[in-house]
Amino acid sequence: MKLYNTITRKKENFIPIEEGKVKMYVCGPTVYNFIHIGNARPFIIFDTFRRYLEYRGYDVTYVQNFTDVDDKIINRSHEEGISPSEVAEKYIKEYFIDCDGLGIKRATVHPRVTENIEQIVDFIKDLENKGFAYASNGDVYFDTKKFDSYGKLSKQNQEELEAGARIEINENKHNPMDFVLWKAKKEGEPGWSSPWGEGRPGWHIECSVMSNRYLGETIDIHAGGHDLIFPHHENEIAQSEARSGKQFSRYWIHNGYINVNNEKMSKSKGNFFTVRDISKFFDLEIVRFFMLSAHYRNPVNFSDEMLEQAKAGLERLYNTKEKLEFTLENLKESKITDEENALINDLNKFRDEFIKAMDDDINTADAVSTVFELARFINTNVSEKSSKEFASKNLDMFKELTAVLNIVNKKEDDVLEDEIKEMIEQRTQAKKDKNFELADKIRSELLDRGIELEDTRQGVKWKKI
């Protein structure tokens, strides 16, 4: 398996620290609002990567944090008239609702900043003792001049970073690029006791501390959106490696940006959409499928038109699966033929192609294309004349590959409402009696109720629309 490592700017063979195990940290949300479509992309991509690693036999410890104390959360608490902790709790629950819709698995651990204050204070004290941090008027800052390789992830030196940054003037800092590790408490803000007075953690420190606590000083993979390369991940490297003297993460993986209708997403442009907004018009599985249909490092253009295309593609895959399941259900046991045995060799090649795509820097776009090729193979080669074993092997392969991507996995209701089932039976009888007017009327009534029928040589198929 090869991964594009942001810190080296090239694809590298993936070799975990411990054979058969992967330690993976993915930056999670600041929980002050519903997640937006830009948040959704890394959550979907790295959930899929985790699923693929597990598919390949790795034992994955997957940590994704919740930032549950932050200026945005404090501001939202004032707006909603509830405490910051209540704001965080509210939007963590909403986050899981959206993630369930997007098909995202729970992390092995979802640590919160407020549950790790003691560890954060100890971490900062270590940095201070080693000469990498300094206190100033109740704040504590990381001294970037003391960390010689600062800028190695973003590939810029201190002077370039200072020239390109909009740096807020702060008399407490020694250097413009120094970043805050601990903030002195202000009126109306939550705070915790520390050697430097009451306060709360800075943003960057939390991920270093929680990664260290749950995964150790050196991890296999750290992932997130491209916008986190600088300053967030750059600062994580500096404070983590300054404290431990060890490499923080062996592989850094970042997904590309999202544009909306060919423009950068922003609230000021009015093209800012939450996942919850989108769920009112599109099933969130469509959003997941859309995200996986492009390579994760490429920018993607998000629009209604693109979602409609994704919806149509996903429906084609569902139709293949439903047709195959219906055919299999109605097949009689029969011996597999020599021709089918030869086709099984071709069938197994789809697994090889899928793995080849995913092993090449998590290329979900090519993996999705392989699933479509498999669907065409199934539609061409499985029929009511096939053996049950052959049809079953095709279904197993289809489910195996789509399960890795976590798509095409929703099931129709196992049992129709009695009334609808009876209407289908009445229509079947009407056709036998050559009462086609009644049969058409029943079909039309079912269609009005969202049930579409398809007459096949093996019987009547139905699906909800």
Side-chain angles (χ1 to χ4, degrees):
M1 184 189 302
K2 288 184 178 291
L3 299 176
Y4 183 86
N5 194 347
T6 304
I7 203 162
T8 61
R9 300 295 196 270
K10 63 182 181 181
K11 289 183 186 179
E12 298 177 359
N13 289 324
F14 175 61
I15 304 171
I17 298 164
E18 186 178 349
E19 186 176 354
K21 296 187 176 182
V22 175
K23 295 186 287 186
M24 186 172 181
Y25 190 97
V26 177
C27 288
T30 301
V31 284
Y32 72 101
N33 201 348
F34 297 103
I35 60 171
H36 57 71
I37 194 62
N39 302 136
R41 190 180 192 193
F43 300 156
I44 291 167
I45 292 298
F46 300 121
D47 169 76
T48 305
F49 184 28
R50 171 203 188 172
R51 290 173 184 271
Y52 180 66
L53 288 168
E54 291 172 341
Y55 169 72
R56 294 300 304 274
Y58 289 101
D59 177 10
V60 182
T61 304
Y62 189 91
V63 178
Q64 186 182 49
N65 67 301
F66 286 123
T67 299
D68 64 342
V69 58
D70 182 86
D71 289 341
K72 293 174 181 177
I73 294 171
I74 294 167
N75 293 337
R76 180 54 65 102
S77 76
H78 294 153
E79 292 171 10
E80 298 194 9
I82 56 179
S83 69
S85 62
E86 288 173 316
V87 170
E89 197 61 43
K90 172 183 176 180
Y91 288 107
I92 285 172
K93 288 179 181 176
E94 299 295 350
Y95 167 82
F96 282 130
I97 290 170
D98 287 339
C99 281
D100 288 345
L102 293 167
I104 296 167
K105 262 170 62 164
R106 299 291 194 271
T108 312
V109 187
H110 276 292
R112 306 185 188 192
V113 178
T114 56
E115 295 170 346
N116 288 271
I117 299 295
E118 182 182 343
Q119 289 78 11
I120 289 171
V121 169
D122 288 343
F123 198 106
I124 296 171
K125 282 163 60 178
D126 287 345
L127 287 171
E128 190 177 37
N129 292 336
K130 289 174 181 285
F132 288 100
Y134 59 90
S136 180
N137 294 325
D139 294 339
V140 183
Y141 294 91
F142 184 89
D143 190 339
T144 54
K145 294 288 188 186
K146 297 285 182 67
F147 188 71
D148 293 338
S149 58
Y150 189 76
K152 64 181 178 180
L153 182 66
S154 55
K155 295 292 182 263
Q156 291 178 283
N157 59 36
Q158 285 255 19
E159 289 72 26
E160 290 170 330
L161 289 168
E162 288 177 22
R166 291 179 292 178
I167 301 169
E168 191 176 325
I169 296 173
N170 187 332
E171 294 178 354
N172 291 335
K173 290 184 180 183
H174 291 178
N175 311 298
M177 295 308 299
D178 293 352
F179 57 89
V180 68
L181 302 171
W182 186 263
K183 294 181 178 183
K185 181 181 177 181
K186 295 177 183 176
E187 187 67 33
E189 292 185 351
W192 290 264
S193 60
S194 80
W196 317 283
E198 270 204 289
R200 58 187 171 93
W203 175 36
H204 310 298
I205 193 68
E206 63 180 80
C207 288
S208 287
V209 171
M210 290 187 273
S211 177
N212 178 71
R213 180 178 181 183
Y214 295 100
L215 297 172
E217 290 178 327
T218 301
I219 67 174
D220 294 298
I221 297 166
H222 199 313
H226 191 274
D227 57 310
L228 297 180
I229 293 174
F230 185 86
H232 186 51
H233 288 167
E234 192 75 73
N235 292 349
E236 279 190 65
I237 290 173
Q239 63 204 6
S240 298
E241 297 187 0
R243 177 180 175 272
S244 71
K246 301 174 183 177
Q247 183 181 19
F248 176 34
S249 178
R250 295 175 61 160
Y251 302 88
W252 289 87
I253 307 177
H254 296 93
N255 64 274
Y257 291 110
I258 285 186
N259 293 323
V260 177
N261 296 317
N262 295 308
E263 289 189 317
K264 186 177 179 181
M265 184 174 70
S266 71
K267 289 181 179 178
S268 62
K269 290 182 179 178
N271 65 350
F272 181 90
F273 298 105
T274 67
V275 170
R276 194 63 56 89
D277 292 333
I278 295 162
S279 70
K280 296 171 185 174
F281 304 98
F282 292 94
D283 188 290
L284 292 183
E285 187 184 14
I286 296 167
V287 175
R288 182 183 183 93
F289 182 70
F290 166 75
M291 295 294 185
L292 297 179
S293 297
H295 193 284
Y296 79 93
R297 283 195 288 117
N298 294 337
V300 294
N301 185 45
F302 189 85
S303 66
D304 285 352
E305 181 183 357
M306 297 302 292
L307 282 185
E308 289 291 353
Q309 290 179 18
K311 180 182 178 181
L314 194 58
E315 284 177 352
R316 290 202 300 275
L317 294 179
Y318 267 108
N319 289 339
T320 295
K321 182 184 178 186
E322 289 162 7
K323 178 185 174 185
L324 180 55
E325 287 176 330
F326 182 79
T327 299
L328 183 59
E329 186 181 329
N330 289 278
L331 284 174
K332 296 178 180 178
E333 292 290 348
S334 56
K335 187 177 179 181
I336 192 166
T337 66
D338 291 340
E339 182 182 358
E340 288 176 335
N341 268 321
L343 285 171
I344 286 172
N345 291 329
D346 294 332
L347 178 66
N348 289 332
K349 291 177 183 177
F350 290 106
R351 180 189 292 111
D352 298 336
E353 287 300 311
F354 184 90
I355 290 172
K356 180 182 176 183
M358 293 295 284
D359 274 357
D360 184 13
D361 192 29
I362 330 168
N363 194 337
T364 58
D366 283 359
V368 167
S369 295
T370 298
V371 172
F372 274 109
E373 291 168 10
L374 171 60
R376 283 192 287 272
F377 177 89
I378 291 168
N379 291 329
T380 300
N381 293 293
V382 181
S383 70
E384 65 274 9
K385 296 179 182 178
S386 299
S387 70
K388 199 154 194 168
E389 182 181 351
F390 179 66
S392 181
K393 286 184 180 296
N394 277 265
L395 182 59
D396 288 345
M397 181 65 71
F398 188 86
K399 286 182 175 180
E400 178 184 329
L401 302 190
T402 54
V404 177
L405 303 175
N406 198 24
I407 57 172
V408 203
N409 59 6
K410 294 185 177 179
K411 295 180 180 179
E412 296 284 5
D413 294 337
D414 292 332
V415 182
L416 279 170
E417 295 177 25
D418 290 343
E419 182 184 356
I420 294 175
K421 185 184 285 188
E422 187 177 335
M423 289 175 70
I424 292 175
E425 290 173 354
Q426 288 173 353
R427 176 179 175 273
T428 301
Q429 186 59 50
K431 290 186 70 176
K432 286 180 181 178
D433 296 341
K434 300 190 183 300
N435 188 347
F436 299 115
E437 183 178 348
L438 176 59
D440 289 344
K441 182 183 177 184
I442 293 171
R443 183 191 188 102
S444 179
E445 287 176 1
L446 285 169
L447 198 58
D448 290 340
R449 297 171 69 165
I451 302 296
E452 184 177 75
L453 304 182
E454 180 186 352
D455 294 312
T456 76
R457 281 181 282 184
Q458 294 168 289
V460 180
K461 285 177 64 178
W462 68 271
K463 68 176 180 179
K464 288 186 177 181
I465 55 172

